[in-house]
Amino acid sequence: MALKQKAVVKAASIALDRILKYADKDPEKNFVKILDYAEKIIGNGLYPIENIEKMKKAAMDPSNIYTQLGKGILRDIDRDIVHHFLITLGIEGGYFGTKQVRANREKYKCNIPWIILFDPTSACNLKCKGCWAAEYGHRQSLSYDEMDSIVTQGKALGTHFYMLTGGEPLIRKNDILLLCAAHPDCAFMSYTNGTLIDDAFCEEVKKVGNLAFALSIEGTEESNDFRRGAGAYRDTMRALGLLKKHKCLYGISVCYTSKNFSYVTSDAFLDAMIDAGVKYAWYFNYMPVGHTADKALIPTPAQRKAMYFWLRKMRNSATGKPIMVIDFQDDGEYVGGCIAGGRNYFHINSAGDIEPCVFIHYSDANIRTHTLLQALQNPLFMAYHRGQPFNDNHLRPCPMLENPDALRKMVHETGAKSTNLITAEDVDTLCGRCDDFAYEWAGVADEIWRTTKHPKTYTSYYRDGEKGLRQ
Ligand code: SF4
């Protein structure tokens, strides 16, 4: 780490400690004071302070959901964990990492990600319908040294945020804790079914401070256990209770399907999650990937449309709920469409194959034969780089689900191989499951796109010329 960066991180750390002391005393009463203090520190040129001004105004309004969420984080989450995440995501990754990522994109003329996902293992102790991990069996794992190398290489590119997917990552919980301790300048988040979370593990999580969770859950007990198996709901609620007791940072991961849509978007579900201390909910559209995929589970165009408006209602400061709700398929307008192929993230499976996205199981590079930078410059990721955005309507972002011809073309032209760990999945078969949905959604999505306002996106494309589409 450069000396200046070290000095800034240290100064920010000391200042943040002072801010959080207020929170320890009385988070409710001191919330505005905390923002006042943050304004003084943040106003040193690291970030513009307009957002703090807006937050201070909102903080005066107890009915504002973001005020409730902010106070809830200060009240419910362990102070060291809040400290770690603000420093790793806000300063190491958000400020210095972003600068480094942007410089490396120009230097290497390829995508450089802000986040890297990897699967510590393909093993999973559940067998959820339609989950590719259920097909992979219990055969593949990354070694500790390989995981450490991924993070070390990533940091050299500017990446400070790592998400653990699988399989069930917590089958490797001891190695994960070691990895978090070895890289205190990074934030880690593990997707998990929660079954392996216990008191002793929560205590270790508090010691490292830089590990958060997203627990898989899909609505009520009935809708959840339909896909995840009998007893899964009860196990997840038990894990949420433990994480709450130990003041860990955690959210949920919700795969929404045509079958569970009404359950996972119900007030009852979100209210139960808020009561369980959940601070964020990542929603994922069901993707028909793998040999057991069922295309009837893809949410219908009418459900996707309802999802678009429901999300915006839930995030509205007056009509929403104190939980951060994000759907990667319907929120493409904030990030300029597809973020895969290293544009903002990529995925490494438990066999070391470097894939564009957690849902796109094709690759032309492996961590055992390529560096991360080489993979980013290989034909498949460069095809993403050139092709993004795959659609100018960011409600149709995906080269598989909404633009299946784009994935067919990239895989055929680059010669990327299927990385399905059991039997190769032909790209034409996979994309064939998406053709009907892509066609039916196009008209609905275009109508929404024409009739609603869209934010300016924060990320760039590098294929655009000076007068082109660069955003
Ligand atoms: S490939 Fe599809 S699912 Fe993956 S990030 Fe891009 S749009 Fe999302």
Side-chain angles (χ1 to χ4, degrees), residues 256-262 297-308 330 441:
Y256 66 98
T257 71
S258 59
K259 296 271 185 296
N260 70 15
F261 182 79
S262 59
L297 288 176
I298 300 174
T300 65
Q303 288 170 329
R304 269 290 290 276
K305 181 178 178 180
M307 189 65 166
Y308 177 87
D330 279 311
W441 172 237

PDB file of all heavy atoms in Angstrom, residues 256-262 297-308 330 441:
ATOM      1  N   TYR A 256     -35.906 -15.099  -7.135  1.00  0.00           N
ATOM      2  CA  TYR A 256     -37.352 -15.046  -7.379  1.00  0.00           C
ATOM      3  C   TYR A 256     -37.706 -15.773  -8.666  1.00  0.00           C
ATOM      4  O   TYR A 256     -37.027 -15.673  -9.675  1.00  0.00           O
ATOM      5  CB  TYR A 256     -37.903 -13.618  -7.322  1.00  0.00           C
ATOM      6  CG  TYR A 256     -37.467 -12.638  -8.376  1.00  0.00           C
ATOM      7  CD1 TYR A 256     -38.268 -12.376  -9.484  1.00  0.00           C
ATOM      8  CD2 TYR A 256     -36.279 -11.921  -8.259  1.00  0.00           C
ATOM      9  CE1 TYR A 256     -37.893 -11.439 -10.442  1.00  0.00           C
ATOM     10  CE2 TYR A 256     -35.896 -10.994  -9.213  1.00  0.00           C
ATOM     11  CZ  TYR A 256     -36.708 -10.757 -10.295  1.00  0.00           C
ATOM     12  OH  TYR A 256     -36.335  -9.840 -11.241  1.00  0.00           O
ATOM     13  N   THR A 257     -38.779 -16.548  -8.577  1.00  0.00           N
ATOM     14  CA  THR A 257     -39.219 -17.398  -9.681  1.00  0.00           C
ATOM     15  C   THR A 257     -40.681 -17.087  -9.985  1.00  0.00           C
ATOM     16  O   THR A 257     -41.349 -16.359  -9.239  1.00  0.00           O
ATOM     17  CB  THR A 257     -39.113 -18.888  -9.294  1.00  0.00           C
ATOM     18  OG1 THR A 257     -40.127 -19.175  -8.323  1.00  0.00           O
ATOM     19  CG2 THR A 257     -37.749 -19.241  -8.724  1.00  0.00           C
ATOM     20  N   SER A 258     -41.199 -17.698 -11.064  1.00  0.00           N
ATOM     21  CA  SER A 258     -42.620 -17.509 -11.380  1.00  0.00           C
ATOM     22  C   SER A 258     -43.495 -18.061 -10.258  1.00  0.00           C
ATOM     23  O   SER A 258     -44.617 -17.612 -10.058  1.00  0.00           O
ATOM     24  CB  SER A 258     -42.955 -18.193 -12.703  1.00  0.00           C
ATOM     25  OG  SER A 258     -42.653 -19.583 -12.599  1.00  0.00           O
ATOM     26  N   LYS A 259     -42.952 -19.017  -9.495  1.00  0.00           N
ATOM     27  CA  LYS A 259     -43.766 -19.670  -8.451  1.00  0.00           C
ATOM     28  C   LYS A 259     -43.758 -18.911  -7.117  1.00  0.00           C
ATOM     29  O   LYS A 259     -44.756 -18.880  -6.419  1.00  0.00           O
ATOM     30  CB  LYS A 259     -43.237 -21.090  -8.185  1.00  0.00           C
ATOM     31  CG  LYS A 259     -43.342 -22.036  -9.375  1.00  0.00           C
ATOM     32  CD  LYS A 259     -44.682 -22.766  -9.380  1.00  0.00           C
ATOM     33  CE  LYS A 259     -44.770 -23.794 -10.484  1.00  0.00           C
ATOM     34  NZ  LYS A 259     -44.706 -23.217 -11.837  1.00  0.00           N
ATOM     35  N   ASN A 260     -42.596 -18.334  -6.752  1.00  0.00           N
ATOM     36  CA  ASN A 260     -42.539 -17.718  -5.417  1.00  0.00           C
ATOM     37  C   ASN A 260     -42.704 -16.201  -5.456  1.00  0.00           C
ATOM     38  O   ASN A 260     -42.587 -15.541  -4.423  1.00  0.00           O
ATOM     39  CB  ASN A 260     -41.232 -18.094  -4.699  1.00  0.00           C
ATOM     40  CG  ASN A 260     -40.003 -17.431  -5.320  1.00  0.00           C
ATOM     41  OD1 ASN A 260     -40.098 -16.497  -6.102  1.00  0.00           O
ATOM     42  ND2 ASN A 260     -38.824 -17.925  -4.962  1.00  0.00           N
ATOM     43  N   PHE A 261     -42.965 -15.635  -6.637  1.00  0.00           N
ATOM     44  CA  PHE A 261     -42.932 -14.180  -6.802  1.00  0.00           C
ATOM     45  C   PHE A 261     -43.789 -13.436  -5.773  1.00  0.00           C
ATOM     46  O   PHE A 261     -43.352 -12.492  -5.139  1.00  0.00           O
ATOM     47  CB  PHE A 261     -43.366 -13.806  -8.229  1.00  0.00           C
ATOM     48  CG  PHE A 261     -43.302 -12.334  -8.474  1.00  0.00           C
ATOM     49  CD1 PHE A 261     -42.102 -11.713  -8.735  1.00  0.00           C
ATOM     50  CD2 PHE A 261     -44.452 -11.549  -8.383  1.00  0.00           C
ATOM     51  CE1 PHE A 261     -42.030 -10.342  -8.920  1.00  0.00           C
ATOM     52  CE2 PHE A 261     -44.387 -10.185  -8.566  1.00  0.00           C
ATOM     53  CZ  PHE A 261     -43.174  -9.581  -8.842  1.00  0.00           C
ATOM     54  N   SER A 262     -45.049 -13.886  -5.605  1.00  0.00           N
ATOM     55  CA  SER A 262     -45.938 -13.128  -4.711  1.00  0.00           C
ATOM     56  C   SER A 262     -45.473 -13.247  -3.254  1.00  0.00           C
ATOM     57  O   SER A 262     -45.630 -12.314  -2.466  1.00  0.00           O
ATOM     58  CB  SER A 262     -47.384 -13.599  -4.865  1.00  0.00           C
ATOM     59  OG  SER A 262     -47.456 -14.968  -4.562  1.00  0.00           O
ATOM     60  N   LEU A 297     -39.875 -21.763 -14.509  1.00  0.00           N
ATOM     61  CA  LEU A 297     -39.628 -20.988 -13.276  1.00  0.00           C
ATOM     62  C   LEU A 297     -39.169 -19.550 -13.559  1.00  0.00           C
ATOM     63  O   LEU A 297     -39.111 -18.722 -12.644  1.00  0.00           O
ATOM     64  CB  LEU A 297     -38.581 -21.691 -12.408  1.00  0.00           C
ATOM     65  CG  LEU A 297     -39.017 -22.987 -11.704  1.00  0.00           C
ATOM     66  CD1 LEU A 297     -37.843 -23.613 -10.960  1.00  0.00           C
ATOM     67  CD2 LEU A 297     -40.170 -22.726 -10.737  1.00  0.00           C
ATOM     68  N   ILE A 298     -38.829 -19.245 -14.820  1.00  0.00           N
ATOM     69  CA  ILE A 298     -38.433 -17.859 -15.137  1.00  0.00           C
ATOM     70  C   ILE A 298     -39.628 -16.953 -14.839  1.00  0.00           C
ATOM     71  O   ILE A 298     -40.746 -17.231 -15.285  1.00  0.00           O
ATOM     72  CB  ILE A 298     -38.055 -17.704 -16.634  1.00  0.00           C
ATOM     73  CG1 ILE A 298     -36.879 -18.613 -16.999  1.00  0.00           C
ATOM     74  CG2 ILE A 298     -37.723 -16.252 -16.957  1.00  0.00           C
ATOM     75  CD1 ILE A 298     -36.544 -18.607 -18.497  1.00  0.00           C
ATOM     76  N   PRO A 299     -39.440 -15.865 -14.062  1.00  0.00           N
ATOM     77  CA  PRO A 299     -40.564 -14.953 -13.818  1.00  0.00           C
ATOM     78  C   PRO A 299     -41.151 -14.452 -15.141  1.00  0.00           C
ATOM     79  O   PRO A 299     -40.414 -14.214 -16.109  1.00  0.00           O
ATOM     80  CB  PRO A 299     -39.916 -13.808 -13.030  1.00  0.00           C
ATOM     81  CG  PRO A 299     -38.731 -14.430 -12.382  1.00  0.00           C
ATOM     82  CD  PRO A 299     -38.219 -15.453 -13.360  1.00  0.00           C
ATOM     83  N   THR A 300     -42.462 -14.320 -15.197  1.00  0.00           N
ATOM     84  CA  THR A 300     -43.128 -13.906 -16.435  1.00  0.00           C
ATOM     85  C   THR A 300     -42.867 -12.418 -16.684  1.00  0.00           C
ATOM     86  O   THR A 300     -42.509 -11.682 -15.755  1.00  0.00           O
ATOM     87  CB  THR A 300     -44.644 -14.111 -16.316  1.00  0.00           C
ATOM     88  OG1 THR A 300     -45.117 -13.217 -15.285  1.00  0.00           O
ATOM     89  CG2 THR A 300     -45.000 -15.550 -15.968  1.00  0.00           C
ATOM     90  N   PRO A 301     -43.087 -11.953 -17.922  1.00  0.00           N
ATOM     91  CA  PRO A 301     -42.935 -10.508 -18.190  1.00  0.00           C
ATOM     92  C   PRO A 301     -43.792  -9.657 -17.246  1.00  0.00           C
ATOM     93  O   PRO A 301     -43.347  -8.608 -16.774  1.00  0.00           O
ATOM     94  CB  PRO A 301     -43.375 -10.380 -19.648  1.00  0.00           C
ATOM     95  CG  PRO A 301     -42.992 -11.698 -20.248  1.00  0.00           C
ATOM     96  CD  PRO A 301     -43.288 -12.710 -19.173  1.00  0.00           C
ATOM     97  N   ALA A 302     -45.010 -10.118 -16.937  1.00  0.00           N
ATOM     98  CA  ALA A 302     -45.870  -9.337 -16.024  1.00  0.00           C
ATOM     99  C   ALA A 302     -45.239  -9.270 -14.627  1.00  0.00           C
ATOM    100  O   ALA A 302     -45.279  -8.224 -13.953  1.00  0.00           O
ATOM    101  CB  ALA A 302     -47.253  -9.984 -15.940  1.00  0.00           C
ATOM    102  N   GLN A 303     -44.611 -10.350 -14.200  1.00  0.00           N
ATOM    103  CA  GLN A 303     -43.954 -10.347 -12.878  1.00  0.00           C
ATOM    104  C   GLN A 303     -42.712  -9.456 -12.886  1.00  0.00           C
ATOM    105  O   GLN A 303     -42.451  -8.736 -11.924  1.00  0.00           O
ATOM    106  CB  GLN A 303     -43.590 -11.783 -12.469  1.00  0.00           C
ATOM    107  CG  GLN A 303     -44.809 -12.617 -12.099  1.00  0.00           C
ATOM    108  CD  GLN A 303     -44.497 -14.092 -11.924  1.00  0.00           C
ATOM    109  OE1 GLN A 303     -43.594 -14.636 -12.575  1.00  0.00           O
ATOM    110  NE2 GLN A 303     -45.251 -14.760 -11.066  1.00  0.00           N
ATOM    111  N   ARG A 304     -41.946  -9.524 -13.981  1.00  0.00           N
ATOM    112  CA  ARG A 304     -40.765  -8.642 -14.076  1.00  0.00           C
ATOM    113  C   ARG A 304     -41.175  -7.175 -14.008  1.00  0.00           C
ATOM    114  O   ARG A 304     -40.532  -6.351 -13.361  1.00  0.00           O
ATOM    115  CB  ARG A 304     -40.006  -8.897 -15.376  1.00  0.00           C
ATOM    116  CG  ARG A 304     -38.908  -9.933 -15.310  1.00  0.00           C
ATOM    117  CD  ARG A 304     -37.690  -9.505 -14.497  1.00  0.00           C
ATOM    118  NE  ARG A 304     -36.898  -8.447 -15.121  1.00  0.00           N
ATOM    119  CZ  ARG A 304     -35.972  -8.652 -16.029  1.00  0.00           C
ATOM    120  NH1 ARG A 304     -35.693  -9.878 -16.441  1.00  0.00           N
ATOM    121  NH2 ARG A 304     -35.285  -7.650 -16.529  1.00  0.00           N
ATOM    122  N   LYS A 305     -42.268  -6.846 -14.703  1.00  0.00           N
ATOM    123  CA  LYS A 305     -42.751  -5.458 -14.686  1.00  0.00           C
ATOM    124  C   LYS A 305     -43.162  -5.081 -13.259  1.00  0.00           C
ATOM    125  O   LYS A 305     -42.809  -4.007 -12.754  1.00  0.00           O
ATOM    126  CB  LYS A 305     -43.946  -5.327 -15.631  1.00  0.00           C
ATOM    127  CG  LYS A 305     -44.502  -3.928 -15.711  1.00  0.00           C
ATOM    128  CD  LYS A 305     -45.651  -3.851 -16.701  1.00  0.00           C
ATOM    129  CE  LYS A 305     -46.230  -2.434 -16.728  1.00  0.00           C
ATOM    130  NZ  LYS A 305     -47.342  -2.318 -17.658  1.00  0.00           N
ATOM    131  N   ALA A 306     -43.900  -5.974 -12.611  1.00  0.00           N
ATOM    132  CA  ALA A 306     -44.323  -5.698 -11.233  1.00  0.00           C
ATOM    133  C   ALA A 306     -43.106  -5.533 -10.335  1.00  0.00           C
ATOM    134  O   ALA A 306     -43.063  -4.675  -9.435  1.00  0.00           O
ATOM    135  CB  ALA A 306     -45.208  -6.835 -10.728  1.00  0.00           C
ATOM    136  N   MET A 307     -42.056  -6.320 -10.574  1.00  0.00           N
ATOM    137  CA  MET A 307     -40.827  -6.248  -9.768  1.00  0.00           C
ATOM    138  C   MET A 307     -40.181  -4.868  -9.914  1.00  0.00           C
ATOM    139  O   MET A 307     -39.734  -4.270  -8.925  1.00  0.00           O
ATOM    140  CB  MET A 307     -39.853  -7.335 -10.231  1.00  0.00           C
ATOM    141  CG  MET A 307     -38.650  -7.495  -9.352  1.00  0.00           C
ATOM    142  SD  MET A 307     -39.194  -8.062  -7.729  1.00  0.00           S
ATOM    143  CE  MET A 307     -37.717  -8.573  -6.970  1.00  0.00           C
ATOM    144  N   TYR A 308     -40.124  -4.379 -11.149  1.00  0.00           N
ATOM    145  CA  TYR A 308     -39.500  -3.078 -11.418  1.00  0.00           C
ATOM    146  C   TYR A 308     -40.149  -1.998 -10.536  1.00  0.00           C
ATOM    147  O   TYR A 308     -39.474  -1.223  -9.859  1.00  0.00           O
ATOM    148  CB  TYR A 308     -39.642  -2.732 -12.906  1.00  0.00           C
ATOM    149  CG  TYR A 308     -39.097  -1.377 -13.278  1.00  0.00           C
ATOM    150  CD1 TYR A 308     -37.759  -1.215 -13.619  1.00  0.00           C
ATOM    151  CD2 TYR A 308     -39.918  -0.243 -13.268  1.00  0.00           C
ATOM    152  CE1 TYR A 308     -37.254   0.037 -13.948  1.00  0.00           C
ATOM    153  CE2 TYR A 308     -39.423   1.005 -13.589  1.00  0.00           C
ATOM    154  CZ  TYR A 308     -38.090   1.138 -13.937  1.00  0.00           C
ATOM    155  OH  TYR A 308     -37.584   2.385 -14.239  1.00  0.00           O
ATOM    156  N   ASP A 330     -33.251  -5.864 -12.615  1.00  0.00           N
ATOM    157  CA  ASP A 330     -34.102  -4.693 -12.835  1.00  0.00           C
ATOM    158  C   ASP A 330     -33.444  -3.385 -12.441  1.00  0.00           C
ATOM    159  O   ASP A 330     -34.056  -2.328 -12.558  1.00  0.00           O
ATOM    160  CB  ASP A 330     -35.417  -4.853 -12.055  1.00  0.00           C
ATOM    161  CG  ASP A 330     -36.390  -5.744 -12.822  1.00  0.00           C
ATOM    162  OD1 ASP A 330     -36.578  -5.502 -14.023  1.00  0.00           O
ATOM    163  OD2 ASP A 330     -36.916  -6.697 -12.226  1.00  0.00           O
ATOM    164  N   TRP A 441     -40.478 -10.420 -23.202  1.00  0.00           N
ATOM    165  CA  TRP A 441     -40.110  -9.321 -22.299  1.00  0.00           C
ATOM    166  C   TRP A 441     -39.725  -8.063 -23.084  1.00  0.00           C
ATOM    167  O   TRP A 441     -39.938  -6.934 -22.614  1.00  0.00           O
ATOM    168  CB  TRP A 441     -38.958  -9.762 -21.405  1.00  0.00           C
ATOM    169  CG  TRP A 441     -38.322  -8.703 -20.530  1.00  0.00           C
ATOM    170  CD1 TRP A 441     -37.010  -8.337 -20.517  1.00  0.00           C
ATOM    171  CD2 TRP A 441     -38.959  -7.886 -19.522  1.00  0.00           C
ATOM    172  NE1 TRP A 441     -36.782  -7.358 -19.582  1.00  0.00           N
ATOM    173  CE2 TRP A 441     -37.970  -7.060 -18.953  1.00  0.00           C
ATOM    174  CE3 TRP A 441     -40.271  -7.768 -19.073  1.00  0.00           C
ATOM    175  CZ2 TRP A 441     -38.242  -6.125 -17.956  1.00  0.00           C
ATOM    176  CZ3 TRP A 441     -40.547  -6.834 -18.064  1.00  0.00           C
ATOM    177  CH2 TRP A 441     -39.546  -6.030 -17.522  1.00  0.00           C
TER     178      TRP A 441
END
